[in-house]
Amino acid sequence: MIWQGRLDGEEPLYHRLFQRVQEAENHDLIITNDFVLHGFAVDEGVIRNKGREGAKDAPDLIRKNMANFPVIMPDFSMLDFGNVTCDDGDLEQAQQKLSENVSKVMAKGARSLVLGGGHEVTFAHYSGIRNAFPDKKIGIINIDAHFDNRRPEDGVGATSGTGFWQIAQEQNNHTLHIGIQRNSNTLKLFDTAHQLGMKYILADELFFENLPSVYERIDELLEMVDILYLTICMDVFNTSIAPGVSAAAYNGIFADAAFMHFYKHILKSEKLVALDVAEVNPQFDIQERTARLAASLANEWLMI
């Protein structure tokens, strides 16, 4: 049993997250404004992208690290629909399955939380939102060291690094990428970002004195779109606080005061309907630091 933790009492004032999560199989149970959780226990896209295998094992570990957080929102509840898996290498089928599940969540007016898995979760999560809201302008904020805008290679197909190229083929590109590293993206990837109209904020720009500019860029995107989807690739963070990722970044950003300021600003947007965390790799984690950080970032949204 994953959802378990310290039991201080049954009264609401004592509650921790595990006491408010209901494991479910029937999407008809979803009601408006519910939080609905799916795990994407898949890293076939990481493997295709020549990354470090292991992110498929992350969803349950992140759940475990979420379970003991205190509940501070009186009316909070969440349904957990388990994991989408990919045991046969058919990434596209796994993405389609998650997309269908997310569409059911969106159709009910609920909010979608997905725990990855590789960053191939992005195209699947986005596709589910798009299918539910075909006439809406969907904005995406990607907190990531990488653009993930590679064109799929012949004979390889989609990977963890192709999601935003795929998305750009289907809609006007209302995306903002925060934490981009110069030493993690070739000039070709920067050029592709410019060609596709992808807006970005470099990791070097994420310091406290520059927060007004960061807020302005976020608000510009929010004004352009009807709904917002936030995706977080854990390799955006410095390896000292996030060692267990598919592609470690020794000079990544920190979850410091400046980060939490703009992160909570995003979470407070009424347009935010979906969030995921990706590329926690338990095989390379130390003391579950990365899983704990991912769990904390997800919990911030649940308790905002």
Side-chain angles (χ1 to χ4, degrees), residues 71-92:
V71 173
I72 62 173
M73 304 300 290
D75 58 349
F76 171 79
S77 64
M78 184 164 67
L79 296 175
D80 182 358
F81 283 87
N83 293 333
V84 172
T85 60
C86 179
D87 299 324
D88 57 1
D90 191 345
L91 171 60
E92 290 73 15

Side-chain angles (χ1 to χ4, degrees), residues 5-155:
R6 173 173 173 155
L7 182 63
D8 290 330
E10 297 293 352
E11 296 179 19
L13 286 175
Y14 293 109
H15 278 185
R16 297 176 186 272
L17 206 63
F18 75 93
Q19 293 171 275
R20 298 287 190 92
V21 176
Q22 178 183 350
E23 296 181 4
E25 296 181 358
N26 185 356
H27 284 83
D28 291 336
L29 295 174
I30 300 171
I31 60 175
T32 301
N33 287 328
D34 263 352
F35 283 102
V36 178
L37 171 63
H38 290 95
F40 190 67
V42 178
D43 60 5
E44 175 64 23
V46 173
I47 296 168
R48 294 182 187 183
N49 200 33
K50 302 178 178 63
R52 302 195 293 187
E53 184 177 357
K56 65 180 181 296
D57 300 321
D60 285 351
L61 184 61
I62 300 172
R63 284 181 174 95
K64 189 193 86 169
N65 279 280
M66 293 174 65
N68 219 35
F69 286 131
V71 173
I72 62 173
M73 304 300 290
D75 58 349
F76 171 79
S77 64
M78 184 164 67
L79 296 175
D80 182 358
F81 283 87
N83 293 333
V84 172
T85 60
C86 179
D87 299 324
D88 57 1
D90 191 345
L91 171 60
E92 290 73 15
Q93 181 60 35
Q95 289 177 314
Q96 179 63 27
K97 178 62 176 176
L98 180 63
S99 173
E100 292 171 357
N101 289 344
V102 169
S103 290
K104 294 173 184 176
V105 173
M106 299 285 99
K108 296 282 189 177
R111 291 168 284 185
S112 174
L113 173 63
V114 178
L115 307 178
H119 215 185
E120 58 266 37
V121 69
T122 298
F123 185 65
H125 206 170
Y126 161 79
S127 296
I129 301 166
R130 184 205 63 214
N131 291 339
F133 300 111
D135 300 322
K136 299 286 189 181
K137 290 182 180 179
I138 303 170
I140 308 175
I141 294 179
N142 176 37
I143 301 179
D144 195 345
H146 306 93
F147 283 117
D148 288 347
N149 61 358
R150 297 175 182 273
R151 182 189 293 267
E153 297 178 25
D154 293 341

Side-chain angles (χ1 to χ4, degrees), residues 272-294:
L272 182 61
V273 299
L275 181 150
D276 58 48
V277 291
E279 303 213 359
V280 172
N281 190 325
Q283 293 187 30
F284 297 95
D285 213 355
I286 299 172
Q287 300 170 332
E288 299 184 0
R289 291 178 198 169
T290 316
R292 180 74 173 179
L293 177 56

Side-chain angles (χ1 to χ4, degrees), residues 119 121-122 139-149 160-161 163-164 167 173-180 185 198-202 206 218 221 228-236 253 259 262-263 266 276-279:
H119 215 185
V121 69
T122 298
I140 308 175
I141 294 179
N142 176 37
I143 301 179
D144 195 345
H146 306 93
F147 283 117
D148 288 347
N149 61 358
S160 60
F164 284 96
I167 290 169
N173 209 327
H174 302 301
T175 64
L176 177 62
H177 304 256
I178 302 177
I180 294 295
N185 299 271
M198 298 166 65
K199 307 299 183 184
Y200 60 89
I201 301 173
L202 296 171
L206 297 178
I218 293 169
L221 176 71
L228 179 67
Y229 156 43
L230 172 62
T231 180
I232 307 160
C233 186
M234 296 301 294
D235 67 22
V236 75
I253 67 174
F259 174 85
F262 77 75
Y263 182 65
I266 297 168
D276 58 48
V277 291
E279 303 213 359

